Amino acid sequence: MALKIYNSLTNEKEVFKPIHENKVGMYVCGPTVYSNVHLGNVRTFMSFDFIYRTLMYLGYDVRYVRNITDAGHLTDDGNVENDRFVKQSRLEKLEPMEIVQKYTVDFHKVLDIFNLLPPTIEPTATGHIIEQIELTQKLIDTGFAYESNGSVYFDVLAYNAKGLNYGELSRRNIEELFANTRDLDGQSEKKNPQDFALWKSASPAHIMRWNSPWGEGFPGWHLECTAMSTKYLGEKFDIHGGGMDLKFPHHECEIAQGKACNGTNPVNYWMHANMLTMNGQRMSKSTGNYIIPMDLVSGENDFFQKAFHPTIVRFNFLQAHYRSVLDISNDAMVASEKGFQRLMEAVKILNSSTGTAKSDSESTFDFTAWKNKCDEALGDDFNSPILISHLFEAVNFLFKLKERKEGISAENLELLKAAMNEYVFQVLGLQNIEENNNSKLDQALQVLIELRNQARKSKNFDLSDQIRDRLLAEGIELKDGREGTTYSIQ
Ligand code: AMP
Ligand code: ZN
């Protein structure tokens, strides 16, 4: 089956041709770990998690690199004094690397509760300072960059003079860019306001600093992604992803750096995930229009009327295509919860089904055609909402099967079981809440049984009886047999 990917560089859906057969190199810009991620960030990382899962489902061997930006990310005004890490470390009275650690741990925790798979490599900007210095030197040597006052800037005009077309991804015209840019920082240092920093000289107050041929400083944000993607995926790789808002200037600068350093466009397919909005406005920390994922899951927030399990959030997000804007709302979440429950009910019916009321030939459900449609949706630029709509055709069929109004052969039933479970749990990455809760309950009861056995061994019969009686009062009966202690729930 052919996979088609919407390429933001050409604005067209293109047939995907990997550089190496059956292998995919994918780089996704990671978080800037100076504060908690918000739900919008989660949406983008989830979109690429779904893309990663789909690529693996389609049989590709994927090297998935997602970086951690842990240095050098200035606020939008570009003022060196506004380094996000340094500012936050002052605010929280912590070392910048403590800030980095604190929010990296938070980031991993959040992605874990939404069942995102870890990337295969997760490199950090601070772990690749040497590579960034080397790239900067190379750009100076080849005439694409210049040093000024201990900082180094990429020379956009020199790049364009070589016919390399700065602005090709965001379709911005360089003259317009020059006319519309006000440079707030480094006015006197840069030749042109559009020139961007590869290396920034650190002021005495700037605590995150490294030695370089141009004095002590820190790398510019755009350069880290070029350094890490080149190191782990090569000068040219298959897929580069990130949120829509990174197209300009971040990804535009990555293209320029890649072309200037290696003489080739670094990426074959650029993919951009669309934004999560709340109250119709883009979710963003700076405007205060955001929600912290943990507050949604715990219900401790003013926006939602109740708490929602992370897998419901996941289902809600995947009901929209990754290239569409998604507005989060209480009503939509409630509807997703209902849909999810019906989906899980159908999976339960399916997994416990054996019989057939009618034969395959009488059945209105054509397994092969259904499976093809599902795979086509996945292959059509990772269309999760269309996949989900096909899954619900199977859901409707399964409810009829339960009422014995429909039939399916044992062979097709097994195929449907395998396919449905794979789509729901592996590809969409949803979690069966009821089953998970049951296994958690089982784990907790095993702990209590073990504690009761220890109490009996040490002849603390008061405690062992108390455990048995208290559980019985809750409707859980412990039975001691030759095989050990088992329990039954009334
Ligand atoms: P940052 O840590 O700010 O670099 O953001 C991490 C990722 O989240 C980037 O890929 C952003 O494009 C993405 N992002 C930021 N805001 C939103 C939003 N409201 N909806 C979806 N993705 C977002
Ligand atoms: Zn990046």
Side-chain angles (χ1 to χ4, degrees):
M1 191 204 61
L3 167 64
K4 283 197 215 119
I5 296 183
Y6 184 90
N7 189 348
S8 312
L9 189 62
T10 57
N11 276 354
E12 271 175 34
K13 248 190 229 175
E14 296 172 9
V15 173
F16 178 63
K17 290 195 202 88
I19 296 169
H20 304 287
E21 208 182 336
N22 294 328
K23 289 195 190 320
V24 175
M26 175 161 89
Y27 186 94
V28 173
C29 294
T32 309
V33 284
Y34 72 102
S35 71
N36 306 96
V37 278
H38 60 64
L39 204 60
N41 304 132
V42 173
R43 183 186 180 208
T44 287
F45 296 123
M46 194 187 290
S47 294
F48 286 100
D49 180 64
F50 169 65
I51 287 164
Y52 175 42
R53 285 166 178 271
T54 302
L55 289 168
M56 288 194 290
Y57 168 78
L58 296 175
Y60 291 107
D61 181 3
V62 188
R63 178 175 290 175
Y64 173 22
V65 184
R66 189 185 65 211
N67 71 301
I68 296 274
T69 297
D70 59 351
H73 199 159
L74 306 180
T75 45
D76 295 338
D77 60 9
N79 186 338
V80 211
E81 297 313 319
N82 284 342
D83 179 312
R84 288 183 157 111
F85 296 100
V86 177
K87 256 184 125 175
Q88 195 67 20
S89 78
R90 285 199 191 114
L91 207 69
E92 295 196 35
K93 298 195 171 40
L94 291 171
E95 271 290 309
M97 284 318 271
E98 284 181 307
I99 293 293
V100 163
Q101 176 68 6
K102 178 175 170 184
Y103 294 111
T104 302
V105 169
D106 171 77
F107 172 65
H108 287 146
K109 231 185 239 169
V110 169
L111 295 201
D112 194 47
I113 65 164
F114 290 98
N115 203 25
L116 272 75
L117 299 171
T120 56
I121 305 179
E122 193 171 48
T124 62
T126 54
H128 296 78
I129 300 288
I130 292 171
E131 288 81 350
Q132 294 178 75
I133 290 175
E134 279 170 5
L135 282 184
T136 305
Q137 189 61 57
K138 190 170 176 184
L139 288 169
I140 294 176
D141 294 346
T142 47
F144 286 102
Y146 56 91
E147 196 236 312
S148 172
N149 244 345
S151 294
V152 181
Y153 294 98
F154 188 94
D155 190 338
V156 172
L157 272 188
Y159 177 80
N160 254 29
K162 294 188 172 135
L164 289 169
N165 190 17
Y166 182 77
E168 61 188 294
L169 177 68
S170 54
R171 288 177 181 69
R172 283 169 205 233
N173 176 307
I174 192 128
E175 281 80 31
E176 271 170 48
L177 277 174
F178 280 170
N180 294 332
T181 316
R182 271 185 316 133
D183 187 22
L184 299 165
D185 174 58
Q187 192 89 272
S188 51
E189 286 181 0
K190 291 188 198 178
K191 287 190 194 164
N192 281 297
Q194 279 303 317
D195 292 351
F196 54 90
L198 300 168
W199 187 263
K200 271 276 187 189
S201 162
S203 66
H206 204 283
I207 18 189
M208 288 186 103
R209 54 204 300 139
W210 290 266
N211 262 329
S212 81
W214 317 285
E216 285 198 355
F218 57 95
W221 169 39
H222 312 306
L223 192 60
E224 66 174 270
C225 288
T226 299
M228 294 185 265
S229 61
T230 311
K231 177 158 180 166
Y232 299 110
L233 298 170
E235 292 176 359
K236 197 175 190 67
F237 55 97
D238 299 298
I239 298 175
H240 192 313
M244 238 15 150
D245 56 327
L246 297 187
K247 250 189 195 179
F248 187 88
H250 186 52
H251 292 160
E252 200 69 77
C253 296
E254 272 189 57
I255 293 181
Q257 289 162 167
K259 280 167 85 170
C261 275
N262 305 318
T264 171
N265 214 318
V267 177
N268 278 342
Y269 302 84
W270 278 95
M271 295 184 72
H272 288 97
N274 217 327
M275 295 290 110
L276 184 72
T277 60
M278 189 162 96
N279 303 313
Q281 299 290 321
R282 190 187 134 189
M283 195 171 279
S284 148
K285 274 267 171 88
S286 57
T287 55
N289 185 45
Y290 68 91
I291 191 155
I292 295 292
M294 294 302 189
D295 295 346
L296 165 59
V297 170
S298 68
E300 283 165 27
N301 65 82
D302 301 328
F303 187 75
F304 293 97
Q305 281 157 20
K306 64 189 270 300
F308 290 97
H309 190 281
T311 210
I312 305 293
V313 182
R314 186 167 178 119
F315 186 56
N316 177 270
F317 282 6
L318 294 176
Q319 281 178 292
H321 188 244
Y322 77 90
R323 278 194 290 119
S324 310
V325 172
L326 172 65
D327 193 52
I328 191 142
S329 72
N330 192 72
D331 289 354
M333 287 292 289
V334 169
S336 291
E337 193 169 46
K338 276 206 185 117
F340 177 80
Q341 280 158 357
R342 191 169 157 80
L343 180 63
M344 287 304 115
E345 187 59 33
V347 169
K348 208 165 157 185
I349 295 170
L350 176 63
N351 290 343
S352 59
S353 256
T354 47
T356 60
K358 294 178 181 176
S359 69
D360 244 358
S361 57
E362 291 170 287
S363 173
T364 56
F365 190 77
D366 181 342
F367 172 76
T368 312
W370 173 82
K371 175 92 171 35
N372 285 341
K373 279 197 298 193
C374 292
D375 289 346
E376 262 167 37
L378 285 172
D380 185 14
D381 194 28
F382 309 94
N383 203 322
S384 56
I386 298 289
L387 170 70
I388 291 171
S389 75
H390 294 323
L391 296 187
F392 272 84
E393 278 174 37
V395 167
N396 294 338
F397 165 75
L398 286 164
F399 275 94
K400 284 192 196 140
L401 186 73
K402 189 186 171 194
E403 292 164 16
R404 309 198 70 74
K405 289 182 187 154
E406 272 286 6
I408 188 167
S409 67
E411 191 189 334
N412 273 344
L413 184 72
E414 286 312 308
L415 291 171
L416 181 58
K417 261 183 207 175
M420 191 78 173
N421 280 287
E422 191 168 23
Y423 289 135
V424 173
F425 301 114
Q426 306 302 320
V427 181
L428 292 172
L430 300 173
Q431 290 165 300
N432 195 330
I433 303 174
E434 201 186 314
E435 235 170 51
N436 285 358
N437 285 349
N438 284 346
S439 79
K440 284 258 155 43
L441 175 67
D442 180 65
Q443 281 166 14
L445 285 171
Q446 296 306 338
V447 170
L448 283 171
I449 289 172
E450 202 183 303
L451 290 175
R452 178 169 167 264
N453 287 341
Q454 279 173 15
R456 286 207 295 189
K457 250 193 203 155
S458 55
K459 302 207 181 331
N460 188 350
F461 296 113
D462 269 359
L463 180 61
S464 67
D465 287 352
Q466 228 187 80
I467 294 175
R468 187 197 55 208
D469 296 345
R470 297 269 307 266
L471 283 175
L472 192 61
E474 300 297 334
I476 300 163
E477 189 183 358
L478 298 186
K479 287 181 198 137
D480 299 313
R482 249 189 282 156
E483 308 289 307
T485 307
T486 56
Y487 64 85
S488 62
I489 303 177
Q490 285 132 27

